[in-house]
Amino acid sequence: MSPLPIDVTDPNLHYIPRRAVVDTLTPNATQRVTLIVAACYVVAIGILPILEKVIYPFKLLTVGMHEMSHALAGVLTCASVEKITLDPQEGGSTRMRGGIPAITLPAGYLGSSFIGACLIAVGFDTNASKVACLILAFFWILTLWWARSSWIAWATIALMAALIVITWLVAHSVALRFLILFIGVMSCLYAIWDIVDDTLARKVNTSDASEYANMIGCCGSRFWGAFWLVISCVFFAAGILVGIAAFKDDWDTQAARADDFLGGTP
């Protein structure tokens, strides 16, 4: 029996043409520039060691976001966060009491990669980047409360806040958009790199994955590292796809909307 023909004019029928999905995920000219810039960020972060000193503060920021993710997961699971520590060697630790370790342990890797993916997505749009800055400011204040004895945390977040203020005021905030995009790419890449370095490449005995494997009692740190790596890569790809699908405005439209953000300028 042949199938009945579909009446696409039926108002009760929800039909999404395949072409519409393709068009939604096809980058326009403005988005292609953003993708090229993001690709340049990936190359600069991963390949060019000459830029290591330049991006050093951003590396410390990603460590802070990693530790903040641990702390937020602790708060959500009723833990008492006592202290966040950052050090100049790009290390960090979060000390808390209580909570659910099955959630708080992977939250560092997965939380920072998820935050990075969100920043990549909003990095396709100027006003969305401005909203992200306001949200980041709230989380940075929380981080400083937990890391109030760490001068590294204060210096890093103060520098980031200054960069945000400066780029906000430059050229209709276009520079801000690319700063948020860079922080997002940095956060995703370093979450992925840390997982590979700590669990798959050299299997650090004190990594979050090794502690998680010991707690769960099965599969080993390499398994959990690989599992978290897949999730982090999915977050990275999703951030790009969401940015392409959600933010289609061209340069001029974004500039006009950015000037009217929160009522515009007097």
Side-chain angles (χ1 to χ4, degrees):
M1 181 181 295
S2 59
L4 295 176
I6 298 176
D7 182 9
V8 296
T9 63
D10 185 353
N12 297 317
L13 178 65
H14 298 283
Y15 172 68
I16 302 177
R18 182 180 300 176
R19 181 65 183 174
V21 176
V22 174
D23 289 343
T24 299
L25 296 179
T26 300
N28 57 31
T30 301
Q31 292 174 325
R32 285 195 291 271
V33 173
T34 304
L35 290 172
I36 292 171
V37 172
C40 292
Y41 288 161
V42 172
V43 173
I45 293 169
I47 297 178
L48 301 179
I50 193 173
L51 296 177
E52 183 176 357
K53 292 183 179 180
V54 176
I55 65 176
Y56 175 74
F58 294 95
K59 294 170 72 174
L60 288 175
L61 179 66
T62 59
V63 173
M65 293 168 70
H66 177 104
E67 301 305 330
M68 180 189 71
S69 298
H70 280 306
L72 289 176
V75 170
L76 293 175
T77 56
C78 301
S80 175
V81 180
E82 297 181 348
K83 187 178 183 181
I84 288 178
T85 303
L86 302 181
D87 66 68
Q89 301 303 317
E90 302 166 28
S93 64
T94 300
R95 189 171 67 191
M96 67 180 76
R97 295 182 183 273
I100 303 175
I103 295 176
T104 58
L105 277 174
Y109 294 129
L110 300 184
S112 57
S113 61
F114 176 75
I115 293 171
C118 292
L119 295 180
I120 289 173
V122 301
F124 281 80
D125 183 80
T126 304
N127 271 5
S129 296
K130 289 185 173 183
V131 173
C133 288
L134 300 178
I135 297 173
L136 280 177
F138 171 74
F139 286 120
W140 286 349
I141 290 172
L142 280 181
T143 302
L144 287 178
W145 169 254
W146 289 319
R148 51 189 176 274
S149 61
S150 172
W151 70 269
I152 290 293
W154 283 92
T156 301
I157 291 179
L159 176 60
M160 293 303 119
L163 286 175
I164 284 176
V165 171
I166 293 171
T167 54
W168 188 304
L169 300 174
V170 173
H172 306 285
S173 302
V174 172
L176 174 70
R177 183 162 78 86
F178 287 117
L179 174 63
I180 292 298
L181 181 67
F182 179 78
I183 295 174
V185 171
M186 188 87 173
S187 184
C188 275
L189 285 187
Y190 268 85
I192 292 172
W193 171 251
D194 283 344
I195 293 172
V196 172
D197 192 44
D198 290 349
T199 63
L200 301 179
R202 56 190 180 96
K203 194 178 179 181
V204 175
N205 292 328
T206 58
S207 68
D208 291 341
S210 62
E211 292 184 25
Y212 192 82
N214 291 333
M215 181 190 66
I216 296 296
C218 72
C219 302
S221 62
R222 291 184 185 275
F223 170 84
W224 293 111
F227 180 65
W228 297 344
L229 176 64
V230 171
I231 296 177
S232 296
C233 291
V234 169
F235 284 159
F236 183 70
I240 295 173
L241 293 177
V242 170
I244 293 173
F247 303 112
K248 292 288 188 181
D249 288 343
D250 58 20
W251 298 111
D252 293 336
T253 303
Q254 288 192 34
R257 291 175 59 243
D259 289 341
D260 292 332
F261 185 75
L262 296 180
T265 56

